[in-house]
Amino acid sequence: MKKYKEVSIDSTTQQMYERAREMGIETVWERLEKQQPQCGYGLLGVCCRNCMMGPCRINPFGGEPRRGVCGADADTIVARNLLRMIAAGAAAHSDHGRHVALTLLIAAEMAEKFKKEGKPVLELDNMASSTLPYQVRDVEKLKAVAERLGIETEGKTIRELAKEVAEVALHDFGKQDEEALAFLKAYLNPKTYEVFEKAAEKAGMPWFENGILPRGIDREIVESLHRTHIGTDHDPVSILLHGLKTSLGDAWGGSLIATELQDILFGTPQVIKAEANLGVLKEDYVNIVVHGHEPVLSEKIVEAAQDPELIELAQKLGAKGINVVGMCCTGLEVLMRHGIPIAGNFLQQEMAIVTGAVEAMVVDVQCIMPATVDVARCFHTKIIDTSPLATFPGAIHIKFDERRADEIAKEIVKTAVENFPNRSKQRVEIPKEKMAGYVGFSVEAILKHFGGSLKPLEEAIVEGKIKGVAGLVGCNNPKIKQDHNHIKIANELMKRDVLLIGTGCWATAAMKYGIFLPEYADTENVGPGLREFAKEWGIPPALNMGSCVDCTRMLVLADLIARDLNVPISALPVVGSAPEAMTEKAVSIGTYFVASGITTHLGIIPPVLGGPKVVKILTQDLYDIVGAAFIVEPDPYKAAKLMYDHIMKKRKELGI
Ligand code: CUV
Ligand code: SF4
């Protein structure tokens, strides 16, 4: 068994891990240990189960077997497996985006229906009626997105515009023509568009019509499965080119739609102060943890928890009130928009339950360990699953329906409140630590902060006060001490005057260690140039841009800078990193960063080393094809140095 200091640098995780061990509760770290030694073929990516002549595996030392039963070699197998990972990641993000678009459409259609039934027309046309389960909270953003998409806004009601935007988004999922996605065309600068258009030709595969421009979000994902079916695509180059295309359908399609339409429905984040870490759980309150990814659910839970009747019920049952906190990306969604505290990142989901103070963990989709149910059995905690596409054996199922969102959200909160008397007071131990930070740096909030343009940031980069920008993303992975690489890489980059922007579990990690406080600029972890810039503008040296789908905010920001400088994104002194990557979604994000022109570091070695040609394409050849490639380096100090070197190289090429 691991010592508590080996699992995490976070003292709350250390404390809860110790407690779990004392109580004999198995957690992610024990399960990882029981998996040792992990399969070498799997780690290298050289096993294939794509047909029933297999499973096949290739000898990584060069001996026999060199080919699978069908004749596929190591590179084909590795490339196919990677493409399937990208497709699964893109599917998760994009299905989330589809869900948001459908929610916007449902709300607009309900408004129309209510209107016909004779309910107040003005409110319904503005989509501001409380009879609607979802409203348009950010009318400005709705208009801005509509305008980008080339939708005529003059003389239309909010309801009509919402419906049209939702329809364009939904069309991007299923369209069958060869054109690029409408959202991509609306958001991407022409120089980078041209890179996508020519990428396949540069790679020697001119038969890719329109290069790596994605045509339909769903289509590219389906084609990934088709290409990797036995006996179809075998050239690692074409397989990986399609991987780039599929990931771009995620970036400039599915994820972008998720972010933009969520802003329309729930409001665009603005800078706000909030708190992070397990210390946000409250001893004398009903604690509800919202965990997963889709704010379509968590927004409603936050609202329902403010219902006076439910608060009264909580008080009648001996609690002071109801405390909703977040976990993982849905936590970041409500953190960014409402300042709801976030209890932790991926490796703290079990730890939150081990406090014994959680009445309910309400989950939707993605990154939710089925083990939460087992840990919850040791306490009074109820795991409530809500998504029709994610069911957890042993959990309570209260499936969500957007049309009855308020009613169901209240039922969920009530279930949590009624569970409060079952809490055993002697078995509660909540770690004290929590940290404050500023969040809510949407592109709109950043622009507003800099007085309406990115000029101040661009000037600081040109002057060299700031050397460049790094986008830090992604998960925790128990193979790495929790948050260790996130924080080391962040500090090493900030020391070198690199401004950080970030999302996902990286952002929650950064917040827990105070990096989102403006005062952090005074620490020795921040270089003099970045310090001066942060102080001048009253910002922290790192900006929280939201959840995983909000990685598109970083792309939109990079795109704006590229437009101002009239260069493709790949010319910018910008890098990406997923220091503790874990999910297939992170693979898709890394791939679309690279495809969009942002060289990206991975701190976990992806399962590709068994295919030498694949490794060469990913780490070298892609520079000639899209202007960026992958850096793989587990050591955080070396990684930061390599990322910095890349930024300096880009500066030199730009002549700054
Ligand atoms: Ni979507 S994808 S572990 S919650 S960032 Fe966190 Fe973020 Fe990775 Fe999952
Ligand atoms: Fe083996 Fe080829 Fe079938 Fe894969 S597709 S399992 S390599 S025979």
Side-chain angles (χ1 to χ4, degrees):
M1 268 190 216
K2 293 211 172 196
K3 295 222 172 56
Y4 68 94
K5 288 215 161 146
E6 290 166 13
V7 302
S8 179
I9 60 167
D10 182 334
S11 66
T12 73
T13 302
Q14 293 174 354
Q15 186 184 339
M16 288 303 102
Y17 175 69
E18 273 297 273
R19 179 169 156 88
R21 278 179 45 172
E22 277 159 21
M23 291 179 151
I25 299 168
E26 185 180 81
T27 63
V28 65
W29 292 281
E30 285 80 44
R31 293 190 297 272
L32 176 63
E33 206 157 272
K34 286 183 186 170
Q35 284 295 334
Q36 302 307 319
Q38 284 176 306
C39 170
Y41 297 103
L43 286 168
L44 295 170
V46 290
C47 53
C48 180
R49 292 188 303 125
N50 291 13
C51 87
M52 289 180 283
M53 292 193 285
C56 302
R57 67 221 190 291
I58 306 299
N59 184 333
F61 304 109
E64 291 292 349
R66 291 189 170 85
R67 300 204 170 245
V69 179
C70 68
D73 66 9
D75 281 299
T76 300
I77 292 175
V78 167
R80 281 197 305 215
N81 288 341
L82 184 65
L83 178 53
R84 286 198 167 198
M85 287 186 91
I86 294 168
H93 284 146
S94 301
D95 215 27
H96 169 171
R98 180 201 330 272
H99 194 184
V100 181
L102 285 171
T103 304
L104 186 62
L105 184 68
I106 288 170
E109 285 175 351
M110 280 178 88
E112 203 173 337
K113 186 165 160 270
F114 287 172
K115 205 177 125 181
K116 281 191 192 131
E117 287 168 4
K119 295 202 174 114
V121 175
L122 198 64
E123 271 188 27
L124 289 166
D125 273 347
N126 289 330
M127 290 203 56
S129 166
S130 59
T131 53
L132 293 172
Y134 295 95
Q135 300 155 3
V136 168
R137 289 266 166 75
D138 193 337
V139 173
E140 286 308 304
K141 179 116 188 192
L142 173 66
K143 286 186 182 154
V145 173
E147 268 159 27
R148 271 205 196 240
L149 291 167
I151 295 171
E152 179 59 55
T153 56
E154 210 59 45
K156 284 184 188 153
T157 62
I158 301 303
R159 177 180 54 77
E160 285 161 344
L161 273 185
K163 189 165 179 221
E164 280 185 51
V165 166
E167 280 168 351
V168 173
L170 291 168
H171 188 246
D172 266 352
F173 283 91
K175 73 186 196 62
Q176 305 298 332
D177 58 63
E178 299 295 318
E179 288 273 299
L181 303 174
F183 266 80
L184 180 142
K185 287 201 278 190
Y187 279 77
L188 190 70
N189 65 80
K191 293 249 160 148
T192 313
Y193 188 95
E194 208 177 297
V195 175
F196 294 174
E197 215 171 13
K198 298 204 171 127
E201 208 176 320
K202 277 194 181 160
M205 305 236 157
W207 53 86
F208 270 72
E209 213 175 317
N210 289 329
I212 53 170
L213 282 166
R215 303 153 295 182
I217 301 164
D218 290 349
R219 179 176 181 176
E220 308 312 350
I221 293 165
V222 169
E223 190 173 305
S224 297
L225 296 179
H226 182 180
R227 278 177 185 267
T228 52
H229 185 276
I230 182 202
T232 310
D233 201 3
H234 300 98
D235 191 320
V237 177
S238 51
I239 294 169
L240 294 175
L241 278 174
H242 189 72
L244 300 185
K245 190 188 266 201
T246 305
S247 75
L248 289 173
D250 175 351
W252 301 94
S255 285
L256 182 63
I257 288 167
T259 294
E260 297 298 81
L261 273 53
Q262 280 169 182
D263 283 355
I264 290 170
L265 283 167
F266 308 124
T268 304
Q270 296 300 330
V271 181
I272 186 173
K273 196 174 190 183
E275 289 179 330
N277 217 344
L278 290 177
V280 302
L281 292 166
K282 290 185 187 165
E283 181 125 27
D284 30 22
Y285 280 68
V286 172
N287 288 306
I288 302 177
V289 181
V290 286
H291 177 16
H293 281 77
E294 299 187 355
V296 168
L297 168 75
S298 54
E299 281 276 336
K300 284 286 146 183
I301 301 293
V302 168
E303 264 176 45
Q306 287 157 12
D307 182 296
E309 272 175 39
L310 289 169
I311 295 174
E312 202 180 303
L313 177 66
Q315 286 162 347
K316 212 187 280 168
L317 294 173
K320 282 196 179 146
I322 307 170
N323 182 38
V324 179
V325 302
M327 178 71 60
C328 283
C329 280
T330 206
L332 284 160
E333 299 280 1
V334 286
L335 172 83
M336 291 278 287
R337 294 198 178 85
H338 308 294
I340 298 291
I342 186 153
N345 47 6
F346 179 72
L347 284 176
Q348 282 168 298
Q349 53 187 293
E350 293 171 290
M351 304 296 105
I353 301 171
V354 172
T355 63
V358 174
E359 274 56 55
M361 185 173 264
V362 184
V363 306
D364 51 41
V365 288
Q366 302 166 24
C367 303
I368 305 142
M369 296 188 197
T372 49
V373 178
D374 300 316
V375 179
R377 272 199 197 98
C378 308
F379 300 91
H380 72 303
T381 306
K382 289 188 168 155
I383 308 293
I384 304 176
D385 64 35
T386 60
S387 167
L389 57 85
T391 299
F392 293 72
I396 300 173
H397 318 306
I398 307 181
K399 296 300 185 183
F400 205 64
D401 171 358
E402 292 67 34
R403 290 176 183 80
R404 298 193 299 119
D406 292 291
E407 195 186 317
I408 296 172
K410 277 184 197 162
E411 187 190 338
I412 291 170
V413 172
K414 190 162 177 246
T415 307
V417 170
E418 285 171 345
N419 195 25
F420 186 75
N422 297 327
R423 187 197 285 186
S424 148
K425 286 215 171 81
Q426 310 86 278
R427 293 188 77 219
V428 170
E429 182 185 329
I430 304 173
K432 291 209 169 46
E433 281 82 354
K434 56 181 176 179
M435 181 57 82
Y438 286 87
V439 303
F441 289 92
S442 58
V443 174
E444 290 83 350
I446 292 172
L447 281 168
K448 194 169 143 200
H449 199 89
F450 288 135
S453 88
L454 293 173
K455 277 261 143 44
L457 174 61
E458 288 159 5
E459 278 167 16
I461 293 173
V462 172
E463 272 170 43
K465 202 185 268 181
I466 292 176
K467 294 292 184 293
V469 180
L472 273 65
V473 305
C475 327
N476 286 143
N477 186 324
K479 292 177 177 176
I480 294 174
K481 194 191 277 189
Q482 184 198 13
D483 299 340
H484 177 269
N485 289 12
H486 282 326
I487 302 307
K488 284 287 179 275
I489 289 182
N491 284 338
E492 289 303 307
L493 288 170
M494 287 187 293
K495 263 181 212 163
R496 295 177 169 92
D497 291 325
V498 175
L499 176 72
L500 305 185
I501 54 178
T503 61
C505 289
W506 175 82
T508 303
M511 190 165 171
K512 290 190 291 180
Y513 304 94
I515 296 178
F516 293 154
L517 287 168
E519 302 89 279
Y520 199 80
D522 293 321
T523 67
E524 60 192 16
N525 295 315
V526 177
L530 178 58
R531 179 177 303 140
E532 200 189 314
F533 181 77
K535 291 201 153 303
E536 197 181 324
W537 290 95
I539 52 170
L543 308 179
N544 184 347
M545 295 193 78
S547 67
C548 287
V549 291
D550 293 338
C551 288
T552 58
R553 297 193 200 276
M554 301 198 257
L555 289 182
V556 171
L557 191 72
D559 180 86
L560 289 180
I561 300 175
R563 275 172 203 265
D564 287 348
L565 303 182
N566 196 27
V567 292
I569 293 173
S570 59
L572 302 176
V574 171
V575 286
S577 172
E580 303 179 17
M582 179 272 297
T583 60
E584 291 165 314
K585 291 181 290 171
V587 177
S588 180
I589 293 171
T591 309
Y592 73 56
F593 264 32
V594 168
S596 300
I598 300 171
T599 286
T600 297
H601 158 257
L602 297 175
I604 286 273
I605 299 172
V608 297
L609 291 191
K613 276 193 202 146
V614 171
V615 172
K616 183 170 168 288
I617 296 167
L618 295 175
T619 57
Q620 294 173 33
D621 302 353
L622 283 179
Y623 281 115
D624 299 324
I625 299 169
V626 289
F630 283 99
I631 299 171
V632 179
E633 176 52 68
D635 180 285
Y637 297 95
K638 284 187 196 155
K641 174 80 175 48
L642 289 169
M643 289 164 72
Y644 178 74
D645 290 346
H646 180 79
I647 284 177
M648 295 313 278
K649 185 169 153 248
K650 288 288 155 187
R651 292 185 66 92
K652 211 168 156 199
E653 285 169 12
L654 275 175
I656 57 174

